[in-house]
Amino acid sequence: MSSPANADAQVSEMELLFSMFPNEILVDDQLALADLRDYIQGKMQSSPTSRLQYTIHLHLEALNVGCTLSCAFPPNYPAVLPEISIRSEALYRSQQMQINTDLYEYLRRSCCGEICVLNAIEWIKDHAVTYMIKESLAVDKRQPANRTKNVICTRLWIYSHHIYNKEKRKNILEWAKELSLTGFSMPGKPGVVCVEGAHSACEEYWARIKRLTWKRILIRHREDTTMDITNKEITSVIQMFQKFTDFEEKIFTVRGNRSNHMDLGQLYQFLNERDCGDIFQMYFGVEGKAL
């Protein structure tokens, strides 16, 4: 649970980052930031349940390459370290693992208990050159036969205030199938959508979904996993990542006076059967109970 002091530190750091990276920073859920501000101002009695998550696109001049810094604030940040990682096409898989390990160790030694994203950015700018290899260097050289290749697989857990509209429900299903994504959607109030598959396909799906008119929609949680595809078919590697076999609309027993609330106990059981039970608390702020 976030304290007002921690929430204030998170908002202050975000405002500083916005001023320094106005065009490079992308917040997954603007409402999470708005909830933090309301909590600080006393407009909310309890701390927000959603976490502040964002990405910053950085350009590393020394190598003339780009990289993406992904960050999520736990509720009690900065008392604990943020969840922070860097990825770039200029990194081999082993290099990506090493730079993230070293970045964490640097933050653990130097910044625990303090806001630290700017420190992380400066560290990356100073040290990334020792980890990265420009793709252009390989143009005139034969690629090593054992070079590791990887692909990023993504799982998005999307929350909506409600999903009733038949056209939206149709889009949710058809776009997932068009982009070869698996997962499920649960209409009603609230609405839940999960999609998983190739990173680029998930990003395209989210871009389409959020352009529709919603009372409230946000990414409640995201999972990005780097998968080794050396000497493997990319489709088989993505299948190893997936927890669902296809994309479907799930209709559970209807509850509530207006018959618009799905049975959340059945939803929890459905998630638990696919090893996703921990997501329930992220959505609803309470632990799920088996039926």
Side-chain angles (χ1 to χ4, degrees), residues 28-233:
D28 287 354
D29 177 15
Q30 290 287 348
L31 287 173
L33 182 56
D35 285 346
L36 277 175
R37 290 193 174 109
D38 287 346
Y39 178 54
I40 294 167
Q41 296 169 8
K43 297 178 182 179
M44 293 178 61
Q45 296 302 313
S46 58
S47 61
T49 57
S50 55
R51 300 192 309 168
L52 193 54
Q53 302 180 76
Y54 59 92
T55 56
I56 302 177
H57 299 285
L58 302 173
H59 181 75
L60 304 178
E61 296 181 0
L63 288 175
N64 193 29
V65 296
C67 67
T68 300
L69 182 75
S70 300
C71 187
F73 287 164
N76 49 347
Y77 171 78
V80 299
L81 290 176
E83 297 173 13
I84 192 167
S85 64
I86 179 176
R87 64 176 183 267
S88 171
E89 292 182 355
L91 286 168
Y92 289 89
R93 183 169 181 263
S94 59
Q95 293 168 323
Q96 183 161 292
M97 293 175 63
Q98 190 62 53
I99 193 173
N100 283 311
T101 298
D102 293 348
L103 173 59
Y104 175 82
E105 285 301 311
Y106 163 73
L107 295 177
R108 184 182 64 82
R109 292 194 311 268
S110 307
C111 305
C112 195
E114 302 176 357
I115 60 173
C116 63
V117 177
L118 278 180
N119 299 68
I121 292 172
E122 289 303 313
W123 186 91
I124 290 166
K125 289 181 176 179
D126 291 341
H127 295 85
V129 66
T130 61
Y131 299 84
M132 291 190 170
I133 295 178
K134 291 169 63 178
E135 293 296 326
S136 59
L137 291 177
V139 172
D140 297 322
K141 298 180 181 180
R142 187 173 181 178
Q143 292 283 357
N146 62 346
R147 181 179 178 183
T148 301
K149 297 180 181 179
N150 55 56
V151 65
I152 297 175
C153 295
T154 295
R155 185 176 297 110
L156 300 180
W157 295 94
I158 300 169
Y159 170 92
S160 173
H161 179 270
H162 63 266
I163 302 175
Y164 298 137
N165 184 275
K166 290 183 178 179
E167 189 64 27
K168 289 179 182 176
R169 290 166 64 179
K170 179 181 177 183
N171 288 335
I172 287 169
L173 286 166
E174 291 185 350
W175 288 342
K177 293 177 181 178
E178 176 190 338
L179 295 167
S180 300
L181 298 173
T182 55
F184 75 98
S185 64
M186 184 188 78
K189 181 180 181 182
V192 173
V193 179
C194 170
V195 289
E196 59 181 10
H199 174 76
S200 58
C202 287
E203 292 298 322
E204 172 63 21
Y205 185 85
W206 173 238
R208 295 185 190 184
I209 289 293
K210 69 181 180 180
R211 281 198 295 265
L212 302 176
T213 302
W214 302 93
K215 181 171 182 178
R216 185 184 187 192
I217 193 165
L218 55 97
I219 296 175
R220 179 66 83 188
H221 180 63
R222 71 180 297 142
E223 302 168 50
D224 292 311
T225 303
T226 300
M227 306 286 287
D228 182 3
I229 60 171
T230 307
N231 301 322
K232 299 173 185 174
E233 290 290 334

Side-chain angles (χ1 to χ4, degrees), residues 6 14-15 24 46 78-79 104 144 151 170 190-191 208 241 243 252 254 256 270-271 273:
N6 287 336
M14 288 304 301
E15 290 173 347
E24 296 84 6
S46 58
Y104 175 82
V151 65
K170 179 181 177 183
R208 295 185 190 184
F241 169 79
K243 295 181 180 290
F252 301 111
V254 176
F270 172 77
L271 293 173
E273 289 171 353

Side-chain angles (χ1 to χ4, degrees), residues 1-16:
M1 181 178 293
S2 179
S3 69
N6 287 336
D8 186 57
Q10 293 179 31
V11 171
S12 297
E13 184 170 34
M14 288 304 301
E15 290 173 347
L16 179 59

